[in-house]
């Protein structure tokens, strides 16, 4: 067991061996075993890992260039989907009804504004930095003032237990979930909600694009032409396969006759469905971690440790609802209280 002594107002943590080092948090001398590389100060609670050393940042420029390329591709793709979808879909929609077309323009504007704004907040907003704390000398740091803090060799300052250092952003991020190259930023305490909102709006937008491109494609697709004259006398599974092959061949032949508007609709459908599948999986993963009260990195570091409470209140707190839903239902609350009082009176 470690013990604290105070000769001349200097606290020393003693162990069995006589290896002396200094705590980075409070500056006090600590006696640790010679084989130990990780220790915790008995006064301030700071954790020192002498095996960790600062590595070079030679790949930082390449990571920064990668993130910039990904952001540019994502923005160009979203603009193409918006502009190409309006150009390819809305002539068909307005040909059906002016009111129908106006309604879809309003839906498109709402989805576009929400998606672009949430993407901008997630990509260009600081992901969240840990709070500054006092450290370095004994009179400044009180008892347990740096409990479970570690020292970041990259930032050269204390790192809270909830923070992780991102080499791509070159700073510590509070409640870091992961570094996403598609937004060129980390997902942390300050922009996690914006990132999840972007995923939700992107899922809704890709679903809408897939439905509308299919609806418009049915109106502009050339008619299919095929014959089943040679299929007489064939029955069962062979007949079904033959019909399927005929329809597939007619479908491919008609695709060669598509107009540029039709080709854009095909691309929008394929890309939107592909993105919808990937974004849905990512959104489900994010919501499941929030439900468990974890982030992606904390999930990796605490596999097999189920101390976090799984509760829907984690989702409520994450999205900023400070009060329970029953607070907004006073009638239900009063009725419930009266029912409890009546039962107590009867008993």
């Amino acid at each position: 067991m470690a013990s604290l002594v105070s000769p001349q107002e200097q606290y020393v943590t003693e162990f069995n061996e006589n290896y002396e080092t200094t705590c980075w948090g409070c500056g006090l001398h600590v006696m640790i075993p010679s084989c130990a590389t990780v220790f915790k100060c008995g006064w301030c609670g700071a954790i020192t890992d002498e095996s960790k050393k600062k590595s070079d940042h030679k790949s930082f420029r390449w990571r920064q260039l990668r993130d910039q390329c990904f952001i540019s591709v994502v923005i160009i793709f979203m603009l193409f989907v918006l502009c190409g979808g309006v150009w390819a879909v809305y002539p068909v929609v307005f040909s059906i009804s002016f009111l129908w077309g106006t309604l879809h323009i309003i839906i498109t504007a709402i989805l576009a504004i929400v998606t672009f704004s949430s993407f901008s907040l997630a990509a260009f907003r600081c992901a969240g930095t840990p709070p500054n704390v006092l450290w370095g000398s004994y009179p400044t740091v009180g008892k347990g003032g740096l409990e479970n803090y570690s020292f970041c060799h990259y930032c050269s300052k204390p790192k809270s237990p909830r923070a992780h250092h991102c080499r791509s952003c070159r700073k510590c991020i509070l409640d870091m979930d992961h570094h996403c190259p598609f937004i060129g930023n980390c997902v942390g305490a300050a922009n996690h909600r914006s990132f999840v909102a972007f995923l939700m709006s992107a899922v809704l937008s890709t679903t809408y694009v897939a439905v509308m491109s299919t609806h418009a494609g049915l109106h502009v697709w050339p008619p299919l032409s095929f014959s089943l004259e040679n299929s007489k006398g064939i029955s069962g599974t062979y007949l079904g396969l033959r019909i399927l092959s005929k329809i597939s061949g007619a479908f491919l032949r008609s695709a060669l006759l598509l107009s540029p508007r039709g080709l854009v609709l095909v691309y929008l459908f394929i890309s939107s469905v592909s993105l919808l599948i990937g974004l849905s999986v990512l959104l489900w993963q994010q919501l499941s971690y929030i439900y468990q009260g974890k982030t992606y990195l904390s999930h990796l570091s605490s596999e097999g440790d189920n101390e976090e409470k799984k509760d829907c209140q984690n989702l409520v707190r994450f999205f900023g609802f400070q009060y329970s839903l029953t607070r907004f239902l006073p009638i239900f609350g009063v009725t419930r209280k009266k029912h409890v009082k009546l039962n107590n009176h009867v008993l």
Side-chain angles (χ1 to χ4, degrees), residues 170-237:
R170 302 185 71 178
K171 59 184 176 181
C172 290
I173 306 297
L174 186 64
D175 288 340
M176 179 177 173
D177 186 84
H178 68 286
H179 181 87
C180 181
F182 294 100
I183 63 173
N185 195 5
C186 282
V187 178
N191 66 343
H192 199 174
R193 192 184 306 171
S194 301
F195 179 73
V196 174
F198 168 67
L199 292 180
M200 290 181 174
S201 61
V203 167
L204 292 176
S205 299
T206 51
T207 303
Y208 177 74
V209 170
V211 172
M212 294 306 299
S213 59
T214 302
H215 175 71
L218 294 176
H219 288 77
V220 302
W221 199 275
L224 302 181
S225 59
F226 59 94
S227 176
L228 298 176
E229 294 181 356
N230 298 329
S231 301
K232 295 180 179 180
I234 302 176
S235 60
T237 305

XYZ file of all heavy atoms in Angstrom, residues 170-237:
512
model
N -4.773 16.889 -34.318
C -3.637 17.369 -33.530
C -4.081 18.066 -32.244
O -3.519 19.081 -31.853
C -2.756 18.309 -34.366
C -2.207 17.694 -35.622
C -1.262 18.599 -36.352
N 0.011 18.748 -35.645
C 1.038 19.456 -36.094
N 0.935 20.095 -37.264
N 2.149 19.544 -35.413
N -5.086 17.509 -31.598
C -5.537 18.041 -30.306
C -6.372 16.988 -29.602
O -6.828 16.011 -30.218
C -6.342 19.328 -30.486
C -7.571 19.175 -31.354
C -8.241 20.521 -31.558
C -9.429 20.422 -32.497
N -10.071 21.738 -32.727
N -6.556 17.187 -28.295
C -7.376 16.280 -27.495
C -8.849 16.634 -27.677
O -9.215 17.809 -27.697
C -6.993 16.362 -26.025
S -5.367 15.657 -25.658
N -9.676 15.607 -27.787
C -11.100 15.773 -28.020
C -11.858 15.190 -26.842
O -11.619 14.053 -26.442
C -11.544 15.092 -29.329
C -10.696 15.599 -30.508
C -13.023 15.310 -29.580
C -10.847 17.078 -30.779
N -12.778 15.967 -26.291
C -13.595 15.519 -25.170
C -14.698 14.587 -25.660
O -15.391 14.896 -26.623
C -14.204 16.727 -24.455
C -14.980 16.441 -23.174
C -14.056 15.882 -22.111
C -15.660 17.716 -22.681
N -14.852 13.441 -24.983
C -15.855 12.432 -25.348
C -15.747 12.061 -26.827
O -16.739 12.000 -27.552
C -17.276 12.926 -25.043
C -17.554 12.968 -23.554
O -16.831 12.290 -22.797
O -18.481 13.683 -23.141
N -14.530 11.808 -27.273
C -14.301 11.496 -28.681
C -14.935 10.168 -29.049
O -14.749 9.158 -28.378
C -12.797 11.456 -28.960
C -12.444 11.120 -30.397
S -10.651 11.180 -30.665
C -10.551 10.533 -32.341
N -15.721 10.175 -30.116
C -16.329 8.947 -30.634
C -15.429 8.330 -31.697
O -15.071 7.171 -31.608
C -17.714 9.248 -31.214
C -18.455 7.992 -31.625
O -19.080 7.371 -30.747
O -18.394 7.618 -32.811
N -15.077 9.096 -32.717
C -14.146 8.643 -33.743
C -13.788 9.842 -34.615
O -14.417 10.891 -34.512
C -14.758 7.526 -34.603
C -15.904 7.983 -35.467
N -17.159 8.268 -34.945
C -15.985 8.218 -36.805
C -17.963 8.638 -35.929
N -17.279 8.636 -37.045
N -12.773 9.665 -35.439
C -12.430 10.685 -36.436
C -13.034 10.258 -37.762
O -12.722 9.185 -38.280
C -10.920 10.856 -36.571
C -10.538 11.918 -37.566
N -10.416 13.252 -37.220
C -10.273 11.836 -38.896
C -10.080 13.945 -38.286
N -9.991 13.110 -39.318
N -13.918 11.093 -38.294
C -14.614 10.761 -39.536
C -13.981 11.529 -40.693
O -14.057 12.760 -40.737
C -16.101 11.118 -39.411
S -17.055 10.727 -40.888
N -13.345 10.853 -41.642
C -12.726 11.571 -42.766
C -13.752 12.213 -43.696
O -13.422 13.153 -44.418
C -11.929 10.471 -43.482
C -12.609 9.199 -43.107
C -13.127 9.390 -41.717
N -15.000 11.726 -43.691
C -16.010 12.273 -44.596
C -16.488 13.652 -44.155
O -17.054 14.389 -44.964
C -17.202 11.316 -44.690
C -16.863 10.010 -45.345
C -16.612 8.883 -44.592
C -16.774 9.924 -46.722
C -16.291 7.678 -45.193
C -16.448 8.719 -47.329
C -16.202 7.599 -46.571
N -16.294 13.999 -42.893
C -16.569 15.364 -42.451
C -15.269 16.095 -42.124
O -15.295 17.270 -41.759
C -17.505 15.384 -41.226
C -16.853 14.691 -40.025
C -18.841 14.752 -41.551
C -17.660 14.814 -38.739
N -14.133 15.390 -42.229
C -12.837 16.005 -41.978
C -12.676 16.494 -40.567
O -11.941 17.462 -40.317
N -13.337 15.846 -39.616
C -13.331 16.328 -38.243
C -13.587 15.152 -37.313
O -14.073 14.099 -37.732
C -14.422 17.386 -38.050
C -14.244 18.193 -36.783
O -13.248 18.048 -36.071
N -15.213 19.039 -36.486
N -13.256 15.340 -36.058
C -13.598 14.349 -35.046
C -15.063 14.494 -34.660
O -15.662 15.560 -34.804
C -12.718 14.519 -33.803
S -11.049 13.857 -33.995
N -15.626 13.426 -34.147
C -16.965 13.447 -33.576
C -16.794 13.397 -32.065
O -16.326 12.390 -31.514
C -17.809 12.264 -34.071
C -19.185 12.276 -33.422
C -17.938 12.303 -35.584
N -17.109 14.509 -31.412
C -16.897 14.605 -29.974
C -18.068 15.242 -29.263
O -19.195 15.282 -29.787
N -17.809 15.762 -28.068
C -18.885 16.277 -27.224
C -19.608 17.450 -27.855
O -20.813 17.615 -27.660
C -18.304 16.683 -25.860
N -18.908 18.287 -28.623
C -19.514 19.509 -29.147
C -20.287 19.306 -30.443
O -21.198 20.086 -30.745
C -18.435 20.576 -29.356
N -19.941 18.288 -31.237
C -20.611 18.120 -32.530
C -21.206 16.725 -32.723
O -21.600 16.377 -33.836
C -19.638 18.416 -33.667
C -18.503 17.405 -33.747
O -18.241 16.662 -32.791
N -17.817 17.362 -34.870
N -21.252 15.913 -31.654
C -21.814 14.565 -31.785
C -23.284 14.627 -32.162
O -23.769 13.857 -33.006
C -21.622 13.792 -30.471
C -21.750 12.316 -30.653
N -21.504 11.413 -29.630
C -22.104 11.562 -31.728
C -21.686 10.186 -30.083
N -22.069 10.256 -31.339
N -24.023 15.542 -31.536
C -25.443 15.665 -31.846
C -25.649 16.113 -33.294
O -26.567 15.627 -33.974
C -26.094 16.662 -30.883
C -27.615 16.654 -30.909
C -28.160 17.743 -29.998
N -27.614 17.634 -28.663
C -27.779 18.553 -27.722
N -28.478 19.643 -27.997
N -27.257 18.391 -26.523
N -24.813 17.019 -33.778
C -24.918 17.462 -35.175
C -24.592 16.327 -36.130
O -25.215 16.206 -37.201
C -23.972 18.642 -35.421
O -24.275 19.721 -34.571
N -23.633 15.479 -35.771
C -23.272 14.348 -36.626
C -24.427 13.358 -36.724
O -24.743 12.874 -37.824
C -22.023 13.671 -36.065
C -21.559 12.475 -36.851
C -20.951 12.629 -38.077
C -21.742 11.198 -36.357
C -20.525 11.526 -38.811
C -21.330 10.088 -37.079
C -20.716 10.254 -38.305
N -25.064 13.054 -35.590
C -26.205 12.135 -35.613
C -27.373 12.753 -36.386
O -28.080 12.061 -37.127
C -26.619 11.752 -34.185
C -27.885 10.911 -34.179
C -25.496 10.992 -33.491
N -27.581 14.066 -36.221
C -28.632 14.748 -36.981
C -28.340 14.686 -38.479
O -29.262 14.520 -39.302
C -28.755 16.196 -36.518
N -27.072 14.809 -38.854
C -26.702 14.682 -40.268
C -26.991 13.276 -40.789
O -27.498 13.111 -41.908
C -25.225 15.024 -40.450
C -24.671 14.656 -41.791
C -25.103 15.302 -42.936
C -23.721 13.642 -41.922
C -24.604 14.957 -44.189
C -23.223 13.289 -43.154
C -23.659 13.947 -44.297
N -26.691 12.258 -39.987
C -26.991 10.889 -40.412
C -28.491 10.693 -40.591
O -28.932 10.064 -41.568
C -26.449 9.897 -39.385
C -24.931 9.786 -39.257
C -24.569 8.752 -38.193
C -24.291 9.402 -40.582
N -29.286 11.213 -39.664
C -30.740 11.063 -39.771
C -31.281 11.761 -41.010
O -32.083 11.196 -41.766
C -31.408 11.632 -38.516
C -31.187 10.821 -37.263
S -32.036 11.561 -35.840
C -31.750 10.303 -34.597
N -30.856 12.992 -41.224
C -31.336 13.729 -42.397
C -30.841 13.096 -43.692
O -31.564 13.081 -44.700
C -30.888 15.189 -42.314
O -29.467 15.286 -42.288
N -29.621 12.540 -43.669
C -29.103 11.879 -44.872
C -29.882 10.605 -45.172
O -30.144 10.285 -46.346
C -27.622 11.562 -44.692
N -30.266 9.855 -44.132
C -31.073 8.651 -44.345
C -32.432 9.017 -44.939
O -32.918 8.385 -45.889
C -31.233 7.876 -43.017
C -32.312 6.807 -43.144
C -29.911 7.228 -42.623
N -33.070 10.052 -44.391
C -34.354 10.494 -44.930
C -34.206 11.003 -46.366
O -35.052 10.725 -47.227
C -34.942 11.584 -44.042
C -35.393 11.161 -42.640
C -35.854 12.373 -41.845
C -36.502 10.126 -42.721
N -33.127 11.733 -46.630
C -32.924 12.299 -47.970
C -32.671 11.207 -49.002
O -33.229 11.251 -50.108
C -31.752 13.279 -47.942
O -32.004 14.351 -47.057
N -31.823 10.231 -48.659
C -31.552 9.149 -49.608
C -32.799 8.296 -49.844
O -33.025 7.821 -50.975
C -30.403 8.272 -49.103
O -30.656 7.869 -47.746
C -29.083 9.013 -49.165
N -33.609 8.102 -48.808
C -34.868 7.378 -48.997
C -35.787 8.140 -49.947
O -36.403 7.548 -50.852
C -35.569 7.173 -47.640
O -34.695 6.482 -46.757
C -36.848 6.382 -47.805
N -35.870 9.440 -49.751
C -36.718 10.269 -50.622
C -36.199 10.258 -52.058
O -36.990 10.167 -53.014
C -36.754 11.688 -50.071
C -37.542 12.662 -50.903
C -38.932 12.624 -50.920
C -36.893 13.627 -51.661
C -39.655 13.507 -51.690
C -37.600 14.527 -52.429
C -38.991 14.470 -52.442
O -39.698 15.353 -53.201
N -34.879 10.346 -52.232
C -34.302 10.332 -53.580
C -34.565 8.993 -54.266
O -34.903 8.940 -55.460
C -32.793 10.626 -53.515
C -32.134 10.380 -54.867
C -32.554 12.059 -53.072
N -34.428 7.888 -53.541
C -34.668 6.570 -54.129
C -36.119 6.419 -54.562
O -36.407 5.906 -55.661
C -34.301 5.479 -53.113
N -37.058 6.879 -53.728
C -38.478 6.758 -54.071
C -38.820 7.638 -55.263
O -39.497 7.197 -56.209
C -39.346 7.123 -52.842
C -40.822 7.191 -53.236
C -39.155 6.098 -51.741
N -38.362 8.885 -55.254
C -38.707 9.808 -56.335
C -38.024 9.449 -57.650
O -38.617 9.614 -58.728
C -38.344 11.233 -55.926
C -39.165 11.769 -54.770
S -40.947 11.654 -55.056
C -41.128 12.686 -56.513
N -36.794 8.952 -57.594
C -36.132 8.536 -58.832
C -36.815 7.313 -59.428
O -36.928 7.188 -60.665
C -34.658 8.254 -58.574
O -34.499 7.232 -57.606
N -37.300 6.416 -58.572
C -38.058 5.272 -59.076
C -39.372 5.723 -59.695
O -39.773 5.248 -60.774
C -38.340 4.287 -57.925
O -37.106 3.875 -57.350
C -39.081 3.065 -58.432
N -40.068 6.651 -59.023
C -41.349 7.158 -59.530
C -41.172 7.844 -60.882
O -41.962 7.626 -61.820
C -41.941 8.130 -58.509
C -43.179 8.803 -58.974
N -44.387 8.147 -59.115
C -43.418 10.101 -59.355
C -45.314 8.984 -59.552
N -44.742 10.182 -59.702
N -40.126 8.686 -60.980
C -39.888 9.376 -62.249
C -39.369 8.421 -63.317
O -39.694 8.567 -64.510
C -38.896 10.516 -62.034
N -38.563 7.427 -62.906
C -38.024 6.478 -63.884
C -39.092 5.640 -64.548
O -38.973 5.277 -65.740
N -40.157 5.324 -63.826
C -41.253 4.558 -64.427
C -41.967 5.335 -65.527
O -42.564 4.729 -66.429
C -42.253 4.155 -63.345
C -41.737 3.175 -62.290
C -42.791 2.938 -61.220
C -41.315 1.859 -62.935
N -41.903 6.669 -65.461
C -42.562 7.493 -66.477
C -41.691 7.725 -67.706
O -42.220 7.955 -68.802
C -42.967 8.844 -65.884
C -44.123 8.770 -64.940
N -44.004 8.321 -63.646
C -45.441 9.084 -65.111
C -45.187 8.369 -63.039
N -46.076 8.828 -63.918
N -40.368 7.705 -67.548
C -39.476 8.001 -68.679
C -38.833 6.748 -69.257
O -38.159 6.828 -70.289
C -38.375 8.988 -68.244
C -38.990 10.271 -67.703
C -37.453 8.374 -67.195
N -39.021 5.598 -68.614
C -38.375 4.383 -69.107
C -39.053 3.910 -70.395
O -40.281 3.875 -70.463
C -38.445 3.276 -68.053
C -37.431 2.188 -68.281
C -37.566 1.096 -69.089
C -36.136 2.106 -67.709
N -36.421 0.342 -69.067
C -35.529 0.941 -68.214
C -35.417 2.909 -66.816
C -34.240 0.557 -67.864
C -34.153 2.525 -66.473
C -33.573 1.354 -66.985
N -38.271 3.545 -71.407
C -38.871 3.052 -72.656
C -39.660 1.766 -72.401
O -39.337 0.983 -71.510
C -37.647 2.785 -73.550
C -36.559 3.619 -72.966
C -36.811 3.654 -71.498
N -40.702 1.537 -73.201
C -41.514 0.322 -72.998
C -40.714 -0.951 -73.283
O -39.850 -0.971 -74.180
C -42.671 0.499 -73.983
C -42.150 1.458 -75.014
C -41.221 2.371 -74.293
N -40.978 -1.988 -72.522
C -40.313 -3.275 -72.706
C -41.015 -4.062 -73.799
O -42.246 -4.096 -73.867
C -40.325 -4.080 -71.399
C -39.679 -3.415 -70.172
C -39.769 -4.356 -68.972
C -38.240 -3.049 -70.444
N -40.213 -4.708 -74.642
C -40.771 -5.534 -75.726
C -40.068 -6.894 -75.734
O -38.859 -6.982 -75.902
C -40.578 -4.834 -77.078
O -39.210 -4.605 -77.333
N -40.848 -7.943 -75.526
C -40.303 -9.299 -75.585
C -41.441 -10.248 -75.955
O -42.636 -9.917 -75.825
C -39.690 -9.705 -74.240
C -40.652 -9.673 -73.089
C -41.336 -10.811 -72.708
C -40.882 -8.497 -72.389
C -42.219 -10.790 -71.656
C -41.765 -8.462 -71.337
C -42.438 -9.604 -70.964
N -41.060 -11.404 -76.435
C -42.038 -12.387 -76.912
C -41.817 -13.725 -76.219
O -40.681 -14.124 -75.947
C -41.905 -12.561 -78.430
O -42.777 -13.569 -78.886
N -42.940 -14.416 -75.951
C -42.891 -15.745 -75.321
C -43.424 -16.828 -76.260
O -43.887 -17.872 -75.816
C -43.726 -15.730 -74.028
C -43.252 -14.779 -72.928
C -44.226 -14.797 -71.757
C -41.859 -15.161 -72.451
N -43.302 -16.562 -77.564
C -43.831 -17.537 -78.523
C -43.077 -18.858 -78.477
O -43.659 -19.925 -78.665
C -43.765 -16.954 -79.936
C -44.681 -15.756 -80.139
C -44.577 -15.239 -81.557
O -43.735 -15.782 -82.319
O -45.320 -14.301 -81.897
N -41.782 -18.808 -78.248
C -40.985 -20.037 -78.238
C -41.035 -20.770 -76.902
O -40.281 -21.717 -76.685
C -39.520 -19.720 -78.582
C -39.381 -19.128 -79.973
O -40.163 -19.451 -80.865
N -38.390 -18.257 -80.147
N -41.879 -20.286 -76.004
C -41.943 -20.901 -74.674
C -43.091 -21.893 -74.534
O -43.359 -22.379 -73.436
C -42.101 -19.809 -73.597
O -41.017 -18.904 -73.656
N -43.753 -22.186 -75.613
C -44.847 -23.138 -75.537
C -44.322 -24.544 -75.263
O -43.308 -24.960 -75.825
C -45.631 -23.132 -76.839
C -46.344 -21.801 -77.106
C -47.118 -21.851 -78.409
C -47.854 -20.525 -78.652
N -48.610 -20.558 -79.926
N -44.989 -25.238 -74.425
C -44.576 -26.596 -74.064
C -43.612 -26.660 -72.907
O -43.242 -27.753 -72.474
N -43.193 -25.500 -72.424
C -42.283 -25.461 -71.290
C -43.096 -25.112 -70.038
O -43.957 -24.231 -70.068
C -41.161 -24.413 -71.498
C -40.381 -24.724 -72.773
C -40.230 -24.387 -70.294
C -39.328 -23.709 -73.097
N -42.850 -25.796 -68.983
C -43.619 -25.555 -67.761
C -42.683 -25.628 -66.554
O -41.533 -26.060 -66.657
C -44.748 -26.584 -67.606
O -44.209 -27.894 -67.541
N -43.230 -25.230 -65.414
C -42.484 -25.350 -64.168
C -41.381 -24.325 -64.030
O -41.488 -23.175 -64.478
N -40.287 -24.769 -63.441
C -39.167 -23.874 -63.139
C -38.525 -23.332 -64.405
O -38.125 -22.161 -64.461
C -38.108 -24.616 -62.307
O -38.731 -25.166 -61.143
C -36.993 -23.671 -61.868
